[in-house]
Amino acid sequence: MSHHYLHFNSVSFTYPDGTKALSEVSFEMHHGERIGLIGANGAGKSTLLQLLAGFLVAQSGSIDLGGLKITPSTIAEVRRTLGFVFQDADDQLFMPTVFEDVAFGPANLGVEEPELTPLVMNTLNRTGIAHLAHRPPYHLSGGQKRAAAIATVLASTPSMLVLDEPANALDPMARRRIIEQLRGFTHSQLIASHDLDLVLDLCHRVVVLHEGKVAAVAPPMTVFKNKELLEHCGLLPPLRMQELPPEGPQLKVVEGHHHEAALHHHTAEK
Amino acid sequence: MHMSDALISPEVGLSMLAIAGGALALSCRSCSREIRSGENLSQIPLMGVLGAFVFAAQMINFTIPGTGSSGHIAGALLLAVLLGPAAGFIVIASVLLVQALLFADGGLLAYGANLFNMGFIPCFLVYPFLWRPLISPNSSRQRIVTVSLVTGIIAMTAGAFTITVQTVLSGITTLPFFKFLMVIVPIHILIGVGEGLITASVVLFTFSSEGAELFLGPKSKRTGSRRTVVAFAIAAAVLAGMLSWFASSNPDGLEWSVARVESTEEAGQQPAADLLHQKSAELQQSTSLLPDYQLGTPKSTDSTAAGSAISWRTSAAGLIGSALTLTLVLLLAMVLKMRQKRSAVPLARG
Amino acid sequence: MSRLSSTIDGWRSFDSFAAEGLISGLDPRTIILSALCTVIAMTGAGKGEVMVLLPLAAFPLTLLVLADIPPMWLVKRILPVLPFALMIGLLNPWLEQGTVTLPGGAEISTGWFTLASITLRALISAATALLLIASVGLLNISRGLAGLRVPALFITQLQMLFRYFFVIGEEFQRMERAWRLRSGSRRGRMPLKLAAQLLQNLFLRSLARAGRIHNAMLARGFSGEVPAGAPLHWRLRDTVWLAGWAGFALLCHSNLPMLLGTLLTGQPQ
């Protein structure tokens, strides 16, 4: 077994309609590392994750996971070590209740009843949603759904988590909770996201994709400080790192003669 | 349109429930065999999502061109085309069940009749014997539209016809067979137009985006032939048996007309109900508090319908009695409720 | 509000009653079977029968009381059923030739009884169906059906339908709302062509979603077998409940109310 856990080795993929999604993508990831996968829309993030889960098969190159080469014949084993959290939790929570959904993975792996219920409840406790166990997913809020989706993959005890936009469309509190949760896990994590603040908070390194190619692999700070790189890849630095523009609309003083302030005044009267 | 519990008799309802339930069980068996074998794993989410799609699509009222009236899609033909007859039937069965429970469309006992009229006919008769043989992967758009339109109308009209037969056989309403048919068929022809056009448009769209071969491959042809013929034969046999049973015990069931609804003939109707009545009458005799007691003049539950003038006293007594029974049961429920409140034990599961 | 929106909201409200009340302590199979008994007894009543039917209304009303469902909730949902029953039964007073003598000596057609009977049937069956699912809940209904040996695939299908109706329905709702906002019509029908386009669009999204769900299932080791939910437990109270309602239905059918009424009014004729 190699010293790194996941290894993409010049992987290329072209869709049947001729769209070239990935070309010669190579990077590696260590045990317990959290890697952010960033890039503009269409850069190839989704394709890369789909290849990893074996939903697509690369035309050339190879992907190694824990010393195992991902091929159609090994995919069942690969999926056992991989916890895939989909972008839309509604796609992931297909069973009638949260409990049954979390039990779905382990049950498919052959875990049976005396062990199954404690395993499920334990997982739900870890994600803080044990009280929702018997609720149907359509009664949950966005943040609860996300936590449930994460619980569904944790229950299968994967050694690596793959997350597609884990904080997408969550309110700030729920987003914060998910980030803290992910930080608490010891799993290796590959996190594809447009939320660069989240990536900055969580990831040890980032892989920047641009038009199907790896544009950079580096610690988040290094990448986010490199303005040319970001601009070239169609990205903006995280909000936290953006300098405030010298003359912005941050008017705090309301004064009658300033026309913007007057506008505020006007709307307030309405 | 849904056949209603209000118009169905237990014998018609239960026979239809048996036929439709049998077809459902067979469909489930053949589909789960395919899924379990791993050859059709994607079928489960596809069926679920398309069921939800059809359910939502039914909520859209659109104008039927050239008529000014509106209709909505029933969806069974579309489901049969997209999923094959067996899976399509299962999906429409789930949709109809939810409608029966959520909107009281039809009802619990009429579920079998509705599933037969709106699911069995399009999935196991119209699709395999009309739609599928007339369409091939290189059929023109024109042809797909025409075939879908015509088969949509046929499916709806056939459904309307069976609704009429079921209603008249049940004998709750006095509407004569042909009048009923004349009322119900034109409406369903219109609904069929909408059904056919929507089916055509979604099918065309799917064929162009996903490829027609996916839905018209040799596999879908196979499932569309032999098994359905067998299913059809069984259903036809059961149906024929049912009809002959009725014909013998209820000679004027099918030709019910206004003239015939007369007090004398009426008394001899509702055969199976009579059987039940007989039983219950026996029971009543044996358990009765007042053995020599006589119910209203022409005894049995048919009395009010029996046409002979009934004393108002009997009716009043009956009404008071039923109100009393209702009150007693509700009082009991209230008591239970109070006890439940007092003990306040949370009965939450899990 | 469009029909779609009201359906989605209605569907949610259906589920909100089920969690509490005595009913949730019973096996869902019990409630399903007792509802069936009631409906069969109802349909088995004679054509113009009113008295046998009236007491049967006790079943849905008991569910209403025990599950703490606001009566107005039921009234609102049950009203749409009435026009249909009236339409079918309205001709009967003129079609039937038998008569009944009223207190004043006036004679009316037995058809009025048929009309009343059909209306009552429609109300009882609708109330039974609506309250069955409202008091037991979507999920437990499917559990109960599974317990009644309904094929597992059909149960899975039902549960998937419940699950994704919200997702697909809400997607559709957004599209429909966008149309309504721009079309200026708050209610009413859609031109066929537009409806077809909308449905095509929604259909494509649904297909894509089915693909993603399939992937999510595969990612968690799905191999064709959907695990069954928690097993059901039949207890003594279930037997009592079912036997009680089955007996009640039978008694109503054998004209218990008439007996009671005559006893009470002392009209032994």
Side-chain angles (χ1 to χ4, degrees):
Chain A
M1 198 168 118
S2 56
H3 64 285
H4 42 255
Y5 184 59
L6 173 71
H7 190 176
F8 268 70
N9 198 357
S10 55
V11 172
S12 301
F13 182 81
T14 308
Y15 281 99
D17 65 359
T19 317
K20 199 163 174 59
L22 291 179
S23 61
E24 305 281 320
V25 168
S26 298
F27 69 94
E28 57 209 37
M29 179 171 167
H30 307 287
H31 274 285
E33 192 179 24
R34 288 191 291 266
I35 286 200
L37 189 60
I38 63 173
N41 286 332
K45 300 192 297 292
S46 301
T47 310
L48 193 148
L49 297 190
Q50 303 233 35
L51 287 169
L52 186 54
F55 302 139
L56 299 174
V57 179
Q59 281 96 1
S60 69
S62 68
I63 309 169
D64 292 309
L65 181 72
L68 195 69
K69 193 169 173 217
I70 300 180
T71 64
S73 60
T74 59
I75 196 64
E77 204 173 327
V78 167
R79 284 179 186 153
R80 214 165 297 158
T81 56
L82 210 63
F84 206 108
V85 181
F86 285 67
Q87 180 170 357
D88 186 346
D90 276 326
D91 295 337
Q92 188 135 16
L93 304 172
F94 43 77
M95 293 294 280
T97 61
V98 173
F99 181 95
E100 283 164 82
D101 225 310
V102 175
F104 181 88
N108 278 324
L109 295 179
V111 180
E112 281 181 9
E113 206 21 274
E115 287 87 41
L116 190 58
T117 301
L119 170 68
V120 171
M121 291 316 291
N122 189 14
T123 316
L124 288 172
N125 272 322
R126 276 172 78 193
T127 44
I129 50 165
H131 58 294
L132 302 174
H134 297 284
R135 298 276 293 277
Y138 47 76
H139 282 312
L140 307 186
S141 71
Q144 291 169 334
K145 277 188 193 172
R146 195 70 50 134
I150 292 176
T152 63
V153 306
L154 286 183
S156 308
T157 56
S159 42
M160 175 180 174
L161 294 180
V162 181
L163 303 111
D164 194 356
E165 292 290 0
N168 196 16
L170 294 187
D171 64 42
M173 286 293 281
R175 177 175 171 277
R176 175 61 38 197
R177 252 195 307 276
I178 292 290
I179 290 177
E180 262 148 35
Q181 234 166 49
L182 292 178
R183 196 183 281 137
F185 297 148
T186 52
H187 305 81
S188 312
Q189 293 171 30
L190 183 61
I191 303 168
S193 186
H194 284 302
D195 183 346
L196 300 190
D197 287 271
L198 172 137
V199 170
L200 182 60
D201 270 354
L202 267 178
C203 298
H204 303 113
R205 284 192 302 153
V206 291
V207 172
V208 188
L209 283 181
H210 179 58
E211 292 174 355
K213 294 191 179 81
V214 175
V217 182
M221 269 305 186
T222 322
V223 170
F224 295 150
K225 278 186 186 146
N226 188 336
K227 280 196 182 144
E228 285 104 286
L229 174 72
L230 289 181
E231 204 167 305
H232 173 70
C233 298
L235 297 167
L236 286 170
L239 286 171
R240 197 161 351 130
M241 290 174 62
Q242 282 174 30
E243 297 150 33
L244 293 171
E247 41 189 317
Q250 70 270 45
L251 295 164
K252 290 216 174 81
V253 193
V254 181
E255 286 187 31
H257 62 267
H258 195 285
H259 80 272
E260 273 196 51
L263 195 71
H264 279 268
H265 194 66
H266 183 67
T267 45
E269 261 179 0
K270 265 196 179 174
Chain B
M1 190 156 71
H2 292 73
M3 173 81 193
S4 162
D5 265 359
L7 298 178
I8 208 165
S9 64
E11 49 274 25
V12 174
L14 290 173
S15 331
M16 295 316 295
L17 213 51
I19 296 174
L24 183 60
L26 285 178
S27 305
C28 283
R29 256 186 61 182
S30 78
C31 273
S32 32
R33 201 180 308 127
E34 260 180 48
I35 291 167
R36 222 168 269 146
S37 72
E39 99 183 64
N40 224 343
L41 283 183
S42 61
Q43 192 82 331
I44 286 186
L46 195 59
M47 283 165 65
V49 168
L50 288 187
F53 164 77
V54 165
F55 203 105
Q58 288 182 341
M59 305 290 146
I60 289 290
N61 276 337
F62 50 80
T63 42
I64 298 166
T67 62
S69 57
S70 71
H72 65 78
I73 189 174
L77 186 60
L78 178 63
L79 288 170
V81 173
L82 297 173
L83 294 166
F89 184 68
I90 298 171
V91 173
I92 205 75
S94 69
V95 170
L96 288 175
L97 183 62
V98 172
Q99 279 175 339
L101 293 170
L102 248 55
F103 305 121
D105 272 345
L108 302 179
L109 196 63
Y111 174 65
N114 286 319
L115 183 50
F116 185 86
N117 303 339
M118 291 187 275
F120 192 92
I121 293 176
C123 290
F124 290 125
L125 300 180
V126 173
Y127 171 77
F129 294 110
L130 292 173
W131 198 93
R132 186 64 194 82
L134 292 172
I135 299 287
S136 66
N138 36 22
S139 291
S140 65
R141 293 175 67 89
Q142 187 92 46
R143 189 178 173 97
I144 293 180
V145 172
T146 316
V147 168
S148 302
L149 185 63
V150 172
T151 53
I153 293 173
I154 291 174
M156 279 293 159
T157 316
F161 180 79
T162 48
I163 289 179
T164 314
V165 173
Q166 288 152 1
T167 308
V168 171
L169 278 181
S170 295
I172 305 294
T173 174
T174 327
L175 280 179
F177 183 72
F178 285 105
K179 279 199 180 162
F180 198 162
L181 209 57
M182 285 307 104
V183 172
I184 201 172
V185 164
I187 303 171
H188 282 78
I189 290 180
L190 283 184
I191 300 175
V193 172
E195 173 83 2
L197 290 178
I198 291 278
T199 303
S201 89
V202 176
V203 166
L204 278 174
F205 183 68
T206 317
F207 280 13
S208 64
S209 69
E210 310 282 314
E213 288 76 14
L214 199 64
F215 301 95
L216 299 171
K219 210 184 105 250
S220 71
K221 190 154 198 172
R222 194 189 65 221
T223 43
S225 59
R226 199 199 251 140
R227 208 166 290 155
T228 41
V229 173
V230 173
F232 179 52
I234 295 172
V238 176
L239 201 61
M242 198 178 98
L243 285 175
S244 57
W245 176 38
F246 272 106
S248 58
S249 58
N250 186 10
D252 54 354
L254 269 174
E255 314 150 26
W256 202 326
S257 64
V258 188
R260 293 204 171 189
V261 187
E262 282 171 20
S263 45
T264 42
E265 290 186 23
E266 188 83 342
Q269 274 170 18
Q270 279 132 16
D274 270 357
L275 203 84
L276 281 171
H277 289 169
Q278 219 175 10
K279 283 228 175 95
S280 57
E282 281 164 23
L283 190 98
Q284 200 181 342
Q285 287 293 335
S286 56
T287 57
S288 176
L289 294 169
L290 306 165
D292 57 344
Y293 166 78
Q294 294 267 308
L295 292 171
T297 353
K299 199 201 138 305
S300 104
T301 43
D302 287 325
S303 54
T304 43
S308 52
I310 299 159
S311 152
W312 67 272
R313 287 167 188 278
T314 326
S315 319
L319 272 179
I320 291 171
S322 34
L324 189 69
T325 321
L326 184 60
T327 319
L328 282 177
V329 176
L330 286 182
L331 275 177
L332 191 70
M334 295 290 192
V335 171
L336 271 175
K337 179 85 202 158
M338 304 243 279
R339 273 195 50 196
Q340 171 196 343
K341 280 243 169 83
R342 198 154 357 112
S343 59
V345 178
L347 284 163
R349 291 134 296 172
Chain C
M1 193 157 58
S2 76
R3 178 144 183 245
L4 186 66
S5 316
S6 62
T7 306
I8 296 174
D9 294 344
W11 207 333
R12 269 188 223 281
S13 82
F14 264 100
D15 244 18
S16 58
F17 302 114
E20 49 215 77
L22 198 87
I23 304 289
S24 58
L26 290 166
D27 188 311
R29 284 174 292 187
T30 320
I31 320 274
I32 296 174
L33 290 176
S34 51
L36 266 177
C37 285
T38 306
V39 172
I40 291 174
M42 179 196 86
T43 51
K47 189 164 81 126
E49 197 55 72
V50 178
M51 290 145 209
V52 170
L53 294 178
L54 203 56
L56 286 172
F59 179 75
L61 291 178
T62 302
L63 291 185
L64 184 87
V65 171
L66 290 184
D68 250 334
I69 296 167
M72 274 319 285
W73 179 92
L74 179 66
V75 171
K76 259 195 269 171
R77 281 178 171 71
I78 216 168
L79 281 181
V81 177
L82 272 182
F84 173 73
L86 291 177
M87 189 183 83
I88 296 288
L90 209 54
L91 282 177
N92 280 32
W94 290 275
L95 286 174
E96 289 180 23
Q97 288 170 359
T99 53
V100 176
T101 319
L102 289 180
E107 292 195 341
I108 58 162
S109 163
T110 50
W112 290 106
F113 281 82
T114 312
L115 173 60
S117 177
I118 290 179
T119 312
L120 205 53
R121 281 163 203 268
L123 290 180
I124 293 175
S125 69
T128 304
L130 293 170
L131 291 169
L132 171 66
I133 197 155
S135 63
V136 178
L138 300 168
L139 209 66
N140 283 318
I141 284 284
S142 63
R143 295 246 159 84
L145 289 175
L148 292 170
R149 304 286 188 113
V150 172
L153 181 62
F154 185 63
I155 303 298
T156 306
Q157 166 62 23
L158 265 182
Q159 293 175 335
M160 285 292 240
L161 179 64
F162 298 156
R163 172 72 188 91
Y164 284 99
F165 172 70
F166 289 103
V167 177
I168 307 259
E170 274 161 14
E171 239 170 84
F172 204 173
Q173 195 179 13
R174 286 194 287 275
M175 289 161 66
E176 198 208 14
R177 202 175 281 151
W179 167 68
R180 273 181 208 288
L181 284 174
R182 278 175 292 174
S183 72
S185 86
R186 288 177 47 92
R187 270 195 157 270
R189 324 156 177 147
M190 206 175 260
L192 179 71
K193 190 158 188 187
L194 184 81
Q197 281 168 356
L198 216 72
L199 288 177
Q200 286 172 356
N201 205 327
L202 186 74
F203 179 74
L204 206 65
R205 291 192 200 194
S206 307
L207 275 190
R209 183 169 301 272
R212 293 197 302 270
I213 299 166
H214 177 53
N215 280 348
M217 292 173 111
L218 286 181
R220 281 191 277 153
F222 178 62
S223 59
E225 211 73 60
V226 178
L232 298 166
H233 299 290
W234 186 278
R235 279 170 290 194
L236 180 64
R237 55 177 129 164
D238 296 304
T239 314
V240 171
W241 171 278
L242 182 58
W245 283 111
F248 180 70
L250 199 68
L251 279 178
C252 287
H253 189 82
S254 52
N255 229 339
L256 162 89
M258 183 64 111
L259 200 85
L260 248 168
T262 351
L263 264 175
L264 209 78
T265 54
Q267 296 287 345
Q269 287 237 346

